[in-house]
């Protein structure tokens, strides 16, 4: 197994990109293996590592189909429903609370509504 080329932070040659950079270009790795890595040294811990992919081997991002849009909307809608009162909170309910803000504050007029 060949070792990956390692570049210092901000010194990667042209033709390589991170996942975020590929996504900004409208691309995805498309099954290719990691081609190289960046390392950013830190004082008291191990280096930060970012994996790089070849831009010329990347493939276009798959378009969203109507079924995928519908599934995403259904999942987001489920995250807005309060499990305590069953109403649509109008925002994604924080996992830390596990209920809408009104239920968390025990507002009595909310239970009647």
């Amino acid at each position: 197994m060949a070792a990956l080329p390692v570049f210092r932070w901000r010194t990667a040659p042209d033709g390589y990109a991170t996942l975020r950079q590929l996504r900004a270009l409208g691309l995805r790795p498309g099954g290719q293996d990691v081609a190289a890595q960046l390392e950013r040294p830190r004082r008291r811990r191990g280096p930060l590592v970012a994996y790089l992919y070849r831009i010329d081997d990347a493939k276009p991002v798959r378009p969203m189909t109507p079924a995928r849009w519908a599934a995403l909307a259904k999942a987001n809608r489920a995250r807005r429903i309060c499990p305590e009162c069953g109403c649509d909170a109008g925002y994604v309910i924080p996992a830390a609370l596990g209920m809408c803000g009104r239920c968390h504050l025990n507002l009595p007029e909310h239970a009647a509504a």
Side-chain angles (χ1 to χ4, degrees):
M1 179 175 162
L4 290 176
V6 178
F7 302 106
R8 301 269 302 172
W9 205 252
R10 299 181 187 226
T11 62
D14 292 336
Y16 290 100
T18 63
L19 283 175
R20 285 186 180 199
Q21 291 168 337
L22 285 177
R23 183 58 71 153
L25 295 171
L27 301 172
R28 62 185 169 95
Q32 67 174 299
D33 292 330
V34 174
Q37 69 182 30
L38 287 176
E39 285 190 355
R40 179 179 172 201
R42 296 191 289 182
R43 292 179 190 223
R44 295 189 176 105
R45 293 182 279 175
L48 289 175
V49 176
Y51 297 111
L52 299 172
Y53 300 89
R54 299 275 319 165
I55 293 176
D56 54 352
D57 292 338
K59 296 180 180 176
V61 174
R62 293 183 186 121
M64 288 288 282
T65 63
R68 291 174 94 188
W69 279 114
L72 184 61
K74 184 178 177 182
N76 284 331
R77 189 171 38 256
R79 295 175 64 200
R80 295 166 50 125
I81 304 297
C82 176
E84 294 291 320
C85 64
C87 70
D88 186 346
Y91 54 87
V92 174
I93 296 173
L97 291 180
M99 61 184 78
C100 68
R102 291 179 173 243
C103 289
H104 179 70
L105 296 174
N106 294 321
L107 295 178
E109 68 274 3
H110 176 61

